[in-house]
Amino acid sequence: MARKFPPLDQIPIGLLTFLLGQNPVHLCWINQKWLYLPPLPLTPCQAFYQLFFLVGILSPSIEMGRLVFSFAFSLLLLVAASTASAARIVEHTFNVQNLTLNRLCNRHVITAVNESLPGPAIQAREGDTVIVHVVNKSPYNLTIHWHGIFQMLSGWADGPDMVTQCPIRSGTNYTYRFKIIRQEGTVWWHAHISMLRATVYGALIIRPRAGYSFPFPKPYREVPILLGEWWNANVVDIDNQAIALGAAPNISDAYTINGLPGDLYPCSRNRKYTNRFDRLPLKVKQGKTYLLRIINAAVENHLFYKIADHNMTVVAIDASYTNPYVTDVVAISPGQTVDVLLTANQPVGSYYMAARPYSAAVGLLIDNTTTRGVIVYNSAPSSKVPLMPVLPLLNDTPTAHKFFTNLTSLVSWPFWDPVPLKVDHEMFVTVGMALDACPPNTTCLGLINGTRFSASMNNESFVLPTNLSMLQAFFFNVGGVYTTDFPAKPPIEFDYTNLAVNNNLPMLFAPKGTKVTKLKFNSTVEMVLQNIAILGKENHPMHLHGFSFYVLAQGFGNYNPATDRRKFNLINPQFRNTIAVPFGGWAVIRFVANNPGVWFMHCHIEAHLPMGMATAFVVENGPTPETTLPPPPADLPTC
C-alpha cells in the first residue's frame, strides 16, 4: 500500500530549489512559512548537518523526524551530486626550460613555461582544486607563486622562495596543490625567485562555479591582457649584477602586451599585440561587450593603460568585484589585476590600446617607452591607420590617484564580508629606501662611497633565510630561522615625507634581519603604510600573500590619525592583495588573519625585494583541525 505524503501544513521543514535564469533560488519551509535562503555554496557535510539539526529541533514527533530525516538524506545525495559536478580538479604540467625568441632585432634565450611567453593561462572556477606539476628543466632554481590565491590551509603551495619552500632545483619537480575558495576574477602566477618572473608568468582566471553568473551582463568574449617588460639580456645576470654592486638593475628595453612589444620598437612593426591563439589583431564586433582581464606583470614599473576613443568599466580588481566604475584610463601597479568591460561602440575602424609607465620619483632612471597593440572592428578597412590614445604623462600622479581611490567593493557579492570593526593588532609601518655598508674588498654603487642601496620597513631590512624555509621552521618549531620582534611602529618618529631627512646620515641606514610579526588566529590587523622620503619619494606597491585586505583610506603627506581616520571607508572599501601606497603618502589597510602559516609581505617592485623591503606574518594555528596547517607534502623541495 502506497504511503501518503502528509499535507504541507503538517511538514515542519522542507526545501524547494529552482532556477531563476542561471541562478539557483532556495526556499525553505519552516514553521508554516517560506523563507528565502541566499545562494551560498555548501559542502554536502554542511548541508547535511544543517538539515539534520533542523530536523532534530523542529520535528514534532519521532515519526515525523524520521520522515524529514529521509527527506534530508535524499537532499544530501542531490547536493553531493551537484557539488561533485560543480567542483573540479584542474590539472596542468609546467615544463620550465629555455626558449629562443626574436625580439627587438635580436635572438634571445629566455626561461619560459611550456615554450610560450606569457605562459599558459589556467582556467578554473570557484571551488575547483588546482594541481600544477612543475618540471624544472631550466638551468636555474625557481619557485612559482600563485599571486592572489588565499591558499587556505595550503601554505605549502604559496611559492615564495625560502618563505614557504626551498627552491625547485634544476632537474627536479614539485607539485603545487590548492583549492580556490571564495574568489572570482583574475589573478596570476609567476616565478618568485630572482628576476625570472620577467618571463615566467601567466594568467589564472577564476570564473563563478557552475550554475552561477557574473554580477554584470555576460560579456561576448573574455580577453587576457598581460602587461610585461622585456630586457635585451639575461634577466638573471642583470639581477645578480645589481645585487653584487648594491645598485638598481638596468632598466628594461621595452614593455610588452601578451609578450609582444608593439610597433613603436625596433624590428617590431608586425609584432604588436595579437590574440595569442590565432595570432591576429584583436577583432571586435560593433555593439558587443568584451571582458578584458588586465594584469600588470611588469617587473619594475607602474603602468597607465588606455584604448583610443573608448571608455572602460571596471568591474573587479585582484579577484574581487567592484561597483562599476567608468574610466578612460587604467592605472595598474606591479602585481595588480583589473577587470574591465569594453563595449565596441565607436565607428568601425582600428584603435590602438597602449601602455606606458607611471613614475613620479625625481631623478629615477626609467624605461619611458610605450607598448601598443591594435583593436580592429569587423569590416574595418585594412588601410586605415589606427587611432592612438593620448596617454597620461609619466608623472601624472593626479590621474593615477583618481583611479586608485575611486574604486569601491560590490557588497552584494555573496562572498563579501563586512569590514571588521574591532582591531586586535595595530601597526604603523614605514616603507622606503635605505643604505647599507658595502662589504670589505667589494665595489658598490650606492649613493655614498662605501655603501650599497638597501630598503626597509620600519627601519628593518629583511633578509631571507638560507638553510630552511620559514614555513618549515614554523611547522616543525625550529628556532634560529626568524625572530618575532618586527616592530609595530618605527623606532624613531620623524617628518616622514620631508626630504630634509636625507641630511641626517644615520637615518639612512637600516639593520639587516629576519624579523616577523606573530598573530593570533582570526585576529584583525590594521596597518598604516607610510611612504618615507629617505633617498627620495616613491610609490611602493605592497603585496600581501595569503590574504586580501580592505583599503580603508589613502592620502598624501604624513598620516594624521586625528584627521585621516575620518576618511575611513568602512562600508564598501576596495578589497585587494596589492596596494600602491601613494607617492609621498600613506594607505591604511585591514585584514583578518584567518589562515595559519607564514605569509610574506613585500614591495612588488622586484629590485626592492632583495634590498630588504619585506616582512612576514606568522599566523598561529586555530583551535580545531580545520584551522590547523596540515603537514608538508612529501615532495616539498629540500634546501
Side-chain angles (χ1 to χ4, degrees):
M1 180 176 178
R3 180 177 295 178
K4 293 183 178 180
F5 197 79
L8 190 62
D9 59 5
Q10 296 181 20
I11 298 178
I13 175 174
L15 184 69
L16 175 64
T17 298
F18 59 93
L19 287 178
L20 184 62
Q22 294 184 336
N23 299 313
V25 175
H26 306 296
L27 297 178
C28 187
W29 175 258
I30 298 179
N31 291 339
Q32 313 303 309
K33 294 179 181 179
W34 287 108
L35 299 177
Y36 170 72
L37 296 180
L40 294 177
L42 296 178
T43 67
C45 289
Q46 289 172 322
F48 180 71
Y49 174 81
Q50 292 185 14
L51 285 169
F52 183 76
F53 176 78
L54 288 170
V55 166
I57 295 297
L58 299 177
S59 295
S61 67
I62 295 177
E63 183 175 350
M64 183 60 71
R66 287 174 179 167
L67 175 64
V68 182
F69 180 85
S70 297
F71 171 79
F73 187 76
S74 300
L75 182 63
L76 168 66
L77 297 179
L78 290 174
V79 171
S82 173
T83 302
S85 63
R88 309 169 302 167
I89 293 178
V90 178
E91 193 163 5
H92 288 261
T93 296
F94 280 11
N95 290 299
V96 187
Q97 59 195 46
N98 288 346
L99 173 67
T100 302
L101 294 177
N102 292 313
R103 293 289 188 277
L104 309 186
C105 312
N106 294 286
R107 287 176 65 82
H108 296 279
V109 177
I110 66 169
T111 303
V113 174
N114 294 358
E115 300 184 323
S116 65
L117 177 69
I122 295 177
Q123 310 277 349
R125 293 185 180 274
E126 193 278 324
D128 286 353
T129 296
V130 176
I131 300 175
V132 181
H133 309 283
V134 176
V135 182
N136 187 6
K137 302 176 183 178
S138 82
Y140 308 109
N141 297 340
L142 62 85
T143 65
I144 302 292
H145 170 50
W146 313 93
H147 186 116
I149 293 293
F150 291 158
Q151 300 292 0
M152 294 297 293
L153 298 182
S154 57
W156 304 106
D158 190 42
D161 173 45
M162 300 311 301
V163 178
T164 61
Q165 68 170 96
C166 299
I168 308 169
R169 298 190 178 279
S170 178
T172 64
N173 310 337
Y174 179 50
T175 297
Y176 292 93
R177 294 177 174 85
F178 55 88
K179 188 171 183 178
I180 299 172
I181 301 173
R182 296 172 62 86
Q183 290 184 276
E184 294 174 12
T186 305
V187 292
W188 61 301
W189 57 265
H190 61 80
H192 208 295
I193 187 170
S194 183
M195 279 177 58
L196 282 172
R197 73 176 174 92
T199 57
V200 178
Y201 66 90
L204 202 172
I205 296 168
I206 309 170
R207 296 185 179 86
R209 65 173 60 200
Y212 294 81
S213 60
F214 296 122
F216 46 81
K218 184 179 179 180
Y220 178 73
R221 183 179 164 197
E222 300 177 31
V223 183
I225 303 290
L226 288 86
L227 308 175
E229 282 183 273
W230 176 266
W231 277 263
N232 278 331
N234 183 302
V235 292
V236 175
D237 292 344
I238 291 173
D239 190 48
N240 290 340
Q241 181 188 49
I243 293 173
L245 295 175
N250 294 339
I251 64 171
S252 57
D253 295 288
Y255 298 103
T256 60
I257 302 177
N258 286 5
L260 296 174
D263 57 2
L264 293 175
Y265 295 100
C267 303
S268 302
R269 181 172 298 278
N270 296 316
R271 299 197 66 76
K272 51 184 174 285
Y273 162 78
T274 65
N275 175 344
R276 55 178 306 210
F277 298 104
D278 57 24
R279 309 310 292 177
L280 295 171
L282 175 58
K283 292 288 188 74
V284 297
K285 292 184 177 181
Q286 194 171 39
K288 298 295 185 180
T289 297
Y290 298 78
L291 176 60
L292 306 185
R293 298 180 178 272
I294 308 169
I295 300 170
N296 186 350
V299 178
E300 307 291 354
N301 290 297
H302 312 264
L303 296 169
F304 289 120
Y305 174 86
K306 197 169 182 179
I307 300 170
D309 284 7
H310 288 75
N311 284 333
M312 297 168 279
T313 302
V314 179
V315 292
I317 54 174
D318 291 1
S320 180
Y321 292 120
T322 65
N323 290 309
Y325 174 67
V326 178
T327 180
D328 67 341
V329 62
V330 168
I332 184 167
S333 294
Q336 292 182 337
T337 70
V338 179
D339 293 356
V340 302
L341 295 177
L342 170 71
T343 299
N345 56 7
Q346 295 302 302
V348 170
S350 299
Y351 302 83
Y352 276 117
M353 64 170 79
R356 65 162 303 177
Y358 158 62
S359 175
V362 177
L364 184 67
L365 192 62
I366 194 169
D367 173 9
N368 190 14
T369 61
T370 299
T371 181
R372 66 184 186 183
V374 68
I375 296 175
V376 180
Y377 280 63
N378 283 353
S379 303
S382 58
S383 58
K384 194 167 185 178
V385 177
L387 292 177
M388 180 67 183
V390 178
L391 287 158
L393 297 176
L394 171 69
N395 61 351
D396 191 347
T397 294
T399 294
H401 190 66
K402 178 183 177 182
F403 181 85
F404 286 136
T405 57
N406 273 280
L407 304 174
T408 56
S409 286
L410 183 69
V411 300
S412 60
W413 182 39
F415 294 149
W416 169 259
D417 291 318
V419 180
L421 301 181
K422 179 180 177 293
V423 175
D424 303 299
H425 192 85
E426 293 186 358
M427 304 181 72
F428 185 101
V429 180
T430 58
V431 292
M433 303 305 294
L435 291 177
D436 189 32
C438 190
N441 303 316
T442 304
T443 299
C444 295
L445 299 180
L447 192 65
I448 302 171
N449 281 344
T451 67
R452 55 194 294 122
F453 283 103
S454 181
S456 74
M457 298 177 66
N458 270 359
N459 202 47
E460 295 289 343
S461 188
F462 191 83
V463 179
L464 288 168
T466 56
N467 297 319
L468 188 71
S469 76
M470 298 170 69
L471 188 58
Q472 287 171 293
F474 164 75
F475 185 85
F476 294 108
N477 197 26
V478 177
V481 177
Y482 59 81
T483 59
T484 57
D485 56 346
F486 180 81
K489 61 181 182 179
I492 300 175
E493 293 186 15
F494 61 98
D495 188 357
Y496 302 111
T497 55
N498 190 333
L499 291 169
V501 67
N502 293 285
N503 298 324
N504 187 343
L505 188 61
M507 291 287 290
L508 309 186
F509 291 81
K512 297 285 185 179
T514 310
K515 295 186 178 183
V516 306
T517 300
K518 193 173 184 179
L519 297 173
K520 294 289 186 183
F521 177 80
N522 227 27
S523 59
T524 297
V525 180
E526 181 176 292
M527 178 185 292
V528 178
L529 290 163
Q530 174 71 63
N531 269 327
I532 56 177
I534 291 178
L535 305 190
K537 302 176 185 179
E538 286 193 53
N539 177 319
H540 295 287
M542 302 304 296
H543 170 52
L544 177 60
H545 289 228
F547 305 96
S548 285
F549 45 74
Y550 304 94
V551 182
L552 304 184
Q554 305 172 64
F556 296 104
N558 296 336
Y559 173 75
N560 183 347
T563 57
D564 292 329
R565 290 192 72 85
R566 302 172 193 167
K567 305 172 184 176
F568 282 13
N569 178 356
L570 300 174
I571 305 301
N572 61 354
Q574 56 187 273
F575 191 60
R576 63 188 326 161
N577 60 63
T578 305
I579 173 70
V581 183
F583 173 77
W586 52 269
V588 183
I589 66 173
R590 192 178 291 181
F591 69 95
V592 179
N594 59 359
N595 193 8
V598 179
W599 305 106
F600 209 23
M601 186 175 193
H602 61 93
C603 181
H604 219 268
I605 293 175
E606 185 62 33
H608 294 171
L609 179 51
M611 289 181 182
M613 196 179 298
T615 186
F617 293 97
V618 174
V619 180
E620 296 178 346
N621 286 314
T624 66
E626 290 76 21
T627 57
T628 300
L629 180 69
D635 64 338
L636 186 74
T638 57
C639 291

